[in-house]
Amino acid sequence: MRWNLCIAGAASLLVRSAAAIELNLDNEASIKDAASTIAFGLLKFYTGNNTGDTPGNLPDPYFWWEAGAMFGTMIDYWFLTGDTSYNEATTQAMLHQAAPTKDFQPINQTRTSGNDDQGFWAMAAMTAAEDKYPDPPEDQPQWLALAQAVFNQYTTRWDDSVCGGGLRWQINTFSNGFMYKNSISNGCFFSLASRLARFTGNQTYADWAEKIFDWEVRAGLILEDGSVYDGVGVPEDGGPCTSIDKIQWSYNHGIFLHGAAVMSNITNSAPVWKQRVESILDSTIKMFFKPDSKIMFEQFCEDRGFCDIDQQSFKGYLTRWMSVTSQMAPYTFEKITPLLRTSAVAAAKACSGSPATGFNGIPGTACGMKWTTGTFDGLPGVGEQMNALSSVMYTLRTLDSQEPFTADNGGTSRGDPNAGQEISEEMKPLRPIESKDRVAAAFITTFIALGAAGGCAFVMI
């Protein structure tokens, strides 16, 4: 993911305010109505189903990975609300971007795609398998097999030659960012590994999840207190990897929190994984929720007003992963749920905009970036709309809700353990993971150079 953004200032925005979306968290119909309204506004940004456009792509200035994140959100939207309005567009987008190679490496993305970019599409496919989202036609790639294909390709890109392991940010040697190993790329790998272990029961996936998390700790990217740093530079001379980017982003915490919770789930709350979950969660709450209001915020850039187009979407992923963590690790439910409910109410209040340009949803329902102001902040966009949708709809998840499906409890998606490449090692039956590994926390993805003048931020992720 790459981006640059100069935020001029709220005074220059032509914005009209309207009443916020009505939301009663004690009424399921109210939650679904609010989610439906926000989802309608979100999909108005999508042009991939227009004649002559490419299914699965968002228009400029949005990058390819965010489209994958959006469709992952829409799969969960269907699962939580039962609304099928966007299923046709979602399935079309997912299958088109899976490409003839069936690995989310479409021709128009292969030269610029990073491991994290591919990973967001693969995680959407994994969500489809876990949600029992309608399976594609027999002659099309299947959700589980797509996730397995990307997992298998990640294993071939694991780089022990420097930094003691880890995935590089970029796939191609000529790409800017190849000399960087970041938490989000390795987090995508960790997410797929842990969730494939749970869905299939194959120990090979669990072993990789353990290996990835341990590397994050050894590399100094996940700390004992649950902090998650963005990444580490790869020296040109192959020497020690000591140049760590210590910026912390919400989605990096979220992705490792979720994966650790899944590992806790499949190991019956093994102490090592329970401790990892709790340390990452405590760090997440401390870092990304206002101490007074308990409302979620993107701590590095939100208050100062220079969150990039991509960064403006991060809170939605943290919300998603905290929500499913509360199911996978029920001992976190009482701590997580009040935070998500408080943020959902705040997010709904931020969906009160009628900007003169940049939004084609229902007037008065454009969602802003900041949830702490009590109103629309004048910044409509895919990320803002997706964040609010996630914040509202994930309040539908309770301890009694259907857990993500597996092959053993009703999941129907067909897999292919050799997808994406030929692998020689036969998958082994899942065995309990020993509690011998280090405690740690989440992760974060970014080279950042902040422009000193003009209020601009130039960020590469």
Side-chain angles (χ1 to χ4, degrees), residues 432-450:
I433 293 176
E434 299 177 7
S435 334
K436 58 177 171 35
D437 301 310
R438 304 168 189 76
V439 178
F443 73 155
I444 200 162
T445 322
T446 311
F447 279 128
I448 290 192
L450 297 178

Side-chain angles (χ1 to χ4, degrees), residues 179-232:
M179 302 301 288
Y180 190 62
K181 295 189 177 184
N182 59 350
S183 286
I184 193 59
S185 294
N186 287 280
C188 291
F189 194 6
F190 179 60
S191 175
L192 291 176
S194 60
R195 295 160 71 184
L196 285 168
R198 181 177 178 273
F199 193 97
T200 68
N202 282 326
Q203 180 63 32
T204 301
Y205 297 123
D207 290 343
W208 267 103
E210 189 92 21
K211 181 176 182 176
I212 297 158
F213 197 99
D214 286 349
W215 177 80
E216 283 275 328
V217 174
R218 292 197 313 273
L221 299 181
I222 292 179
L223 307 189
E224 191 169 346
D225 68 357
S227 298
V228 185
Y229 294 155
D230 187 67
V232 59

Side-chain angles (χ1 to χ4, degrees), residues 312-342:
Q312 289 167 20
S313 71
F314 289 177
K315 290 189 297 186
Y317 317 135
L318 176 58
T319 300
R320 176 195 304 180
W321 291 322
M322 288 184 71
S323 172
V324 73
T325 291
S326 72
Q327 268 193 318
M328 292 289 94
Y331 50 84
T332 66
F333 185 84
E334 294 300 325
K335 185 177 287 188
I336 287 174
T337 299
L339 295 168
L340 295 188
R341 287 172 66 90
T342 298

